[in-house]
Amino acid sequence: MPPTEEHPVHPASKPDTRTLATVAHTAFFLLLGASLVRFLLRHPGEPRTPWILALSITLALLYVLGPALGAAPTTRRLLWLGLVVTTWMVLVVLAPSFAWCAVPLFFTALRTLPPRAAIVLVALLTGFVVIAQLQLAKSFDPNLLLAPPAVAALATAVFVHMERQAQAQRTLIDDLIRTRRELAATERREGTLAERQRLSMEIHDTLAQNLSSQQMLLQAADRTWDTDPATARAHVRTATGIAAHGLAEARRLVHDLAPRELADGAGLAEALRSLDAGPDIEVRFHLEGTPTPLPDRVQSALLRIAQGALANVREHSGARTAALTLSFLGDQVVLDIADDGHGFTEPRTGASTGTGTGTRSGTRSADRGHGLPAMRARVRQLGGTLTIESTPGEGTVLSAAIPLEPAP
């Protein structure tokens, strides 16, 4: 089945398709040139020579226009194919030696038309080839009658079989990608539920119990404050100790929720330097300006933004390298993530308000998932801005700027 809007060519098959198209185009011009030279050598000075030259040039020019129209069976593409075939038929009628130019036209017809229509056109072209070869032969030769249909049938069968296999492979790849995404989403949901359950148990066993004990002790102190001040003060002191213990537990929970890369006192620069985007992408880290202590929530937000951006680079950009730049500018800290991928087809800029969108591939929306919306939400909560700049073929730069409170 030829590629159409409903059945697009999968990215994995594009190089093979381009190679096959290049071979077919080269073969067409070689056959056209050889046929023209053969005619001029064997029929010098004939009255039909100007017509042969004009038709050959016209056919060559028409064929050159083909790749610009694409492979989908649009109206312009079908009209172009009709003009090419008609010009070739007139040329074969005037000079049968041009008949073998039909072989590359088989490939063009099979790529452009639906299978049944393509087979009909191939049969028509084959008939012209047989008639032309019989006209050139000095005597009847059964090979000239049987060989062209056999070659055309074999080429058509091989092409159709390869297209069906390619379509089955594209469908299988799409199913595998969809299944992988569903599994990843399921794992994320299960991980989120498990973490919520763990946190609820932690809060119930620590903070909630401590708060309940404090409430009971303070109520008891209130009841005995006038009649037994010593006992009331003891209750208050006990409640104060429980509050201190609860505060320590709360800090421990907050520490456990921090990114693993920032645990044990590791700084943001060290955490960013340790990030990677997979084995096929080289990640470089640069530090600019004089580092200053950053609040935990700022460090966590910038680290999560860097991780999300590198995930987008790995999945959508086709980049070979990515650069992380952390800049301390006094009143703000800026994190830039740049890649050398294929960029946006319609570059637009989005700030922390979440109004901008962009695509890292020709037809894929970058806001389709949760990556960029999550980044914008993190930056917006800290009063910062998120900017995306891209040029097709020259990569993408994502910049997160977060203001810093002035030092006392």
Side-chain angles (χ1 to χ4, degrees), residues 46-363:
E46 286 196 5
R48 55 179 173 165
T49 299
W51 289 100
I52 298 299
L53 288 173
L55 288 172
S56 298
I57 295 174
T58 302
L59 182 59
L61 293 176
L62 285 173
Y63 198 85
V64 168
L65 295 176
L69 301 177
T74 60
T75 302
R76 291 190 302 173
R77 178 76 176 180
L78 296 177
L79 179 61
W80 168 83
L81 181 60
L83 291 175
V84 169
V85 172
T86 302
T87 305
W88 173 80
M89 287 181 174
V90 175
L91 195 57
V92 171
V93 170
L94 295 178
S97 59
F98 286 85
W100 286 110
C101 293
V103 176
L105 294 181
F106 292 167
F107 169 76
T108 303
L110 291 169
R111 285 192 65 210
T112 303
L113 300 175
R116 292 183 180 179
I119 291 174
V120 172
L121 182 57
V122 168
L124 178 62
L125 297 178
T126 304
F128 262 77
V129 172
V130 171
I131 295 173
Q133 293 303 307
L134 291 177
Q135 288 180 352
L136 291 175
K138 297 181 180 179
S139 60
F140 177 77
D141 187 348
N143 285 333
L144 299 179
L145 183 63
L146 300 178
V151 172
L154 179 61
T156 302
V158 170
F159 185 88
V160 172
H161 177 69
M162 291 177 60
E163 281 295 313
R164 288 177 177 174
Q165 282 191 327
Q167 179 61 35
Q169 185 181 22
R170 290 192 291 267
T171 302
L172 178 61
I173 292 174
D174 291 339
D175 290 341
L176 290 176
I177 293 175
R178 183 171 57 254
T179 302
R180 185 179 65 180
R181 289 174 178 169
E182 292 174 354
L183 288 175
T186 301
E187 291 177 355
R188 285 195 297 269
R189 287 194 297 269
E190 291 178 351
T192 301
L193 292 176
E195 183 65 12
R196 287 178 178 175
Q197 184 177 7
R198 185 187 72 82
L199 287 176
S200 65
M201 294 174 62
E202 289 275 355
I203 293 172
H204 175 269
D205 295 339
T206 57
L207 299 182
Q209 294 290 354
N210 288 339
L211 290 173
S212 177
S213 299
Q214 292 175 53
Q215 183 184 28
M216 293 175 61
L217 289 168
L218 293 175
Q219 288 175 348
D222 182 65
R223 288 194 301 267
T224 60
W225 192 266
D226 294 329
T227 60
D228 190 356
T231 302
R233 291 189 182 93
H235 289 331
V236 172
R237 286 193 296 269
T238 304
T240 301
I242 293 176
H245 183 267
L247 179 60
E249 288 292 338
R251 287 172 176 169
R252 182 185 64 82
L253 287 175
V254 172
H255 181 270
D256 290 343
L257 291 176
R260 177 177 53 83
E261 295 82 356
L262 296 175
D264 300 328
L268 178 60
E270 289 76 8
L272 293 175
R273 187 177 284 109
S274 65
L275 297 181
D276 67 86
D280 299 328
I281 302 176
E282 179 185 1
V283 179
R284 302 167 184 168
F285 174 74
H286 305 279
L287 180 62
E288 297 182 359
T290 303
T292 57
L294 297 175
D296 291 342
R297 60 175 186 166
V298 173
Q299 294 189 72
S300 298
L302 291 178
L303 179 60
R304 294 307 189 200
I305 289 172
Q307 291 172 329
L310 290 180
N312 283 342
V313 171
R314 179 177 60 253
E315 295 177 7
H316 306 309
S317 72
R320 293 291 184 183
T321 61
L324 301 179
T325 303
L326 181 64
S327 304
F328 290 87
L329 305 179
D331 60 341
Q332 65 177 347
V333 59
V334 179
L335 175 64
D336 297 317
I337 302 98
D339 66 73
D340 61 353
H342 45 60
F344 298 175
T345 53
E346 296 180 1
R348 284 177 284 178
T349 301
S352 62
T353 56
T355 58
T357 59
T359 56
R360 284 193 175 273
S361 60
T363 58

